[in-house]
Amino acid sequence: MYQGRVYPTFGTYQDNCNRCTCKEDGQWECDQEPCLVNPDLIDAINRGNYGWTAGNHSVFWGMTLDEGIRYRLGTVRPTSSVMNMNEIQMVMSPDETLPSAFSASNKWPGLIHEPLDQGNCAGSWAFSTAAVASDRISIHSMGHMSPALSPQNLLSCNTHNQHGCRGGRLDGAWWFLRRRGLVSNNCYPFSEGDHNGAAPAAPCMMHSRHMGRGKRQATAHCPNSRTHANHIYQATPPYRLSSHEKDIMKELMENGPVQALLEVHEDFFLYKSGIYKHTPASLGKPERYRQHGTHSVKITGWGEEIQPDGQKVKYWTAANSWGPTWGENGYFRIVRGANECDIESFVVGVWGRVGTEDMSPHH
């Protein structure tokens, strides 16, 4: 008997991410997998006064923590040679002060694109790259071009040492954007159906060819037959910022959103609102309850907040790629200035390749 219903011997029911089976002796035997949505962990976080609120993001219900780490992240940690890229130090005069709060969408209204949803595709490497490039091209063309670039174009076509929905590298994604370019998301939409778990991405439907003067042209019509705008957008090589919060802030304020690595722990999936920092709520549990993996996100602003105890907490605002219903409308805030979850360890900017010929109305 379970919840008023009688099950036959070897009958099963699903309890979140675990399957329970009725044994011959009439007892239930349940799998013991740690679930991605863990009600005990949600309670512990919300009782613990950590400065943020946890909750159940319903699309994660029924997934194991292991599946969350495998299918919802997908950025390969950069190699040491990439991590050692020369950092750009922003030049600041001694008397220069930065505002206590900044939002890219306030400074560049209409040019900052909303978060997309990577689904069960370990493709954050493609989503964060396309997201940052979309905003940067829009800002640097002063709004003449404001494409939402296609993560699917990267997932399917950037295949050299990349693994689509099984993970990829940021440096490889930026190389592709510089050398081959991307079309808009409207032209080449994300096909979630292809990514059931870690299935390979769909085959590449579009390539680009060289036109001279560094320009490229699409070799095919858009996979989305309702649009004919198959313009190719490119970017300059990426540049790495120093991990100092002031350098990241100045770059963000002057040139637009930046891409950042993020080490995601088991409690981050449960984030609902507030200023995130990784909690010790799982410390008493066996190691399989404490998993983490590398992700990448788009930082769009910063601020500070006075906590109930009177302490001032500084934060970054960042866009995730888990859709608009996760977190604060698809965004999250995270402690700033302490390299929380590696958020300041590898931060990248890029310039949209915007020439005068790109400004003509027919583009």
Side-chain angles (χ1 to χ4, degrees):
M1 177 83 110
Y2 175 73
Q3 289 188 344
R5 188 175 157 199
V6 176
Y7 288 77
T9 305
F10 304 125
T12 62
Y13 72 87
Q14 193 72 17
D15 179 20
N16 193 349
C17 74
N18 287 304
R19 175 168 293 215
C20 297
T21 306
C22 178
K23 304 313 265 182
E24 287 177 281
D25 60 3
Q27 297 297 308
W28 286 107
E29 186 179 273
C30 299
D31 298 339
Q32 297 296 317
E33 281 291 320
C35 297
L36 192 54
V37 178
N38 179 337
D40 294 343
L41 182 54
I42 292 173
D43 289 345
I45 292 165
N46 292 339
R47 283 199 315 270
N49 197 18
Y50 295 114
W52 60 279
T53 306
N56 169 15
H57 183 46
S58 57
V59 298
F60 292 164
W61 185 262
M63 289 177 76
T64 64
L65 175 56
D66 185 54
E67 287 169 337
I69 298 287
R70 276 215 316 267
Y71 301 153
R72 286 278 170 167
L73 307 179
T75 296
V76 175
R77 190 161 271 282
T79 60
S80 54
S81 63
V82 174
M83 286 296 276
N84 294 332
M85 267 169 79
N86 285 339
E87 296 176 353
I88 290 188
Q89 305 271 334
M90 299 299 283
V91 180
M92 290 183 66
S93 57
D95 57 346
E96 186 174 356
T97 56
L98 292 163
S100 60
F102 173 78
S103 154
S105 52
N106 287 350
K107 177 164 180 181
W108 296 289
L111 302 185
I112 306 302
H113 300 77
E114 286 304 303
L116 296 175
D117 187 352
Q118 67 186 76
N120 283 342
C121 165
S124 65
W125 63 275
F127 276 79
S128 63
T129 299
V132 170
S134 301
D135 293 355
R136 288 288 184 117
I137 288 171
S138 304
I139 290 165
H140 301 157
S141 69
M142 289 149 66
H144 287 275
M145 301 185 287
S146 55
L149 295 182
S150 165
Q152 187 69 51
N153 196 173
L154 274 172
L155 290 166
S156 293
C157 306
N158 180 201
T159 52
H160 181 65
N161 288 333
Q162 303 280 57
H163 303 288
C165 281
R166 293 180 177 144
R169 301 191 333 264
L170 302 181
D171 53 310
W174 287 117
W175 177 91
F176 191 88
L177 200 77
R178 175 167 69 103
R179 301 301 295 270
R180 303 274 187 271
L182 295 180
V183 291
S184 71
N185 196 43
N186 199 17
C187 169
Y188 202 156
F190 179 53
S191 44
E192 224 273 72
D194 298 334
H195 315 305
N196 186 3
C204 182
M205 310 274 283
M206 297 197 87
H207 292 285
S208 65
R209 64 165 169 258
H210 193 251
M211 297 269 298
R213 292 174 64 201
K215 301 285 287 177
R216 298 188 75 83
Q217 182 183 51
T219 58
H221 294 300
C222 294
N224 174 6
S225 56
R226 291 193 296 281
T227 180
H228 299 295
N230 63 354
H231 182 66
I232 298 280
Y233 299 90
Q234 290 171 272
T236 63
Y239 51 90
R240 183 181 171 197
L241 300 165
S242 99
S243 297
H244 194 274
E245 64 176 304
K246 293 260 188 319
D247 287 332
I248 300 170
M249 290 159 76
K250 189 169 163 69
E251 168 69 21
L252 179 51
M253 192 166 88
E254 291 187 352
N255 298 321
V258 291
Q259 183 181 47
L261 273 188
L262 182 70
E263 198 61 17
V264 166
H265 295 265
E266 67 287 335
D267 58 358
F268 184 73
F269 292 98
L270 307 175
Y271 172 87
K272 267 277 190 270
S273 62
I275 301 169
Y276 174 80
K277 63 171 186 282
H278 177 38
T279 69
S282 300
L283 275 182
K285 291 275 202 183
E287 201 167 316
R288 57 204 188 96
Y289 287 85
R290 302 192 308 277
Q291 293 197 44
H292 58 94
T294 310
H295 193 44
S296 50
V297 297
K298 175 178 85 172
I299 301 180
T300 60
W302 69 80
E304 49 191 49
E305 196 169 89
I306 306 293
Q307 300 293 28
D309 60 5
Q311 274 199 309
K312 184 171 74 175
V313 179
K314 302 182 301 180
Y315 62 82
W316 297 112
T317 305
N320 199 354
S321 45
W322 293 345
T325 57
W326 178 88
E328 298 181 326
N329 300 315
Y331 291 83
F332 64 100
R333 289 176 293 155
I334 183 169
V335 168
R336 162 168 59 98
N339 196 29
E340 178 63 40
C341 296
D342 283 353
I343 187 91
E344 289 138 18
S345 65
F346 187 75
V347 179
V348 168
V350 71
W351 289 91
R353 191 180 293 171
V354 178
T356 47
E357 67 270 30
D358 284 329
M359 299 297 190
S360 55
H362 63 268
H363 285 312

